[in-house]
Amino acid sequence: GVALPLIGDLAICAPVVAREAAEQGKASRDHWAHLTVHGVLHLLGMDHEDEREAQAMELLEREILAGLGYDNPYED
């Protein structure tokens, strides 16, 4: 079993990831990484309901992804 307390579930739909990655001209692997980080930040209580929250969440996403070797997901 898992000894750590669970904070929630993260469900990501593979066909949607593939479609969005193609539409955005991104590698599926990169989009998977972004959506995973984004989802975990939601599980940790972050949100993007207003501009201030969105900017804070996007900054943290960029920092985490950069630390994992991924490009900025918000750049075209």
Side-chain angles (χ1 to χ4, degrees):
V2 176
L4 300 174
L6 300 178
I7 59 173
D9 295 316
L10 184 59
I12 301 174
C13 180
V16 172
V17 174
R19 186 191 76 235
E20 288 180 352
E23 289 171 355
Q24 298 173 23
K26 298 177 180 176
S28 286
R29 180 176 181 266
D30 294 352
H31 199 42
W32 271 104
H34 179 211
L35 292 180
T36 301
V37 168
H38 185 89
V40 169
L41 292 178
H42 276 302
L43 288 175
L44 293 172
M46 295 195 79
D47 213 332
H48 43 82
E49 292 295 317
D50 63 41
E51 188 61 30
R52 183 188 56 79
E53 291 175 339
Q55 288 178 357
M57 190 169 178
E58 288 178 14
L59 175 63
L60 193 50
E61 288 173 15
R62 290 192 304 270
E63 290 174 349
I64 292 167
L65 288 165
L68 296 171
Y70 290 95
D71 292 333
N72 180 350
Y74 295 102
E75 287 182 345
D76 292 333

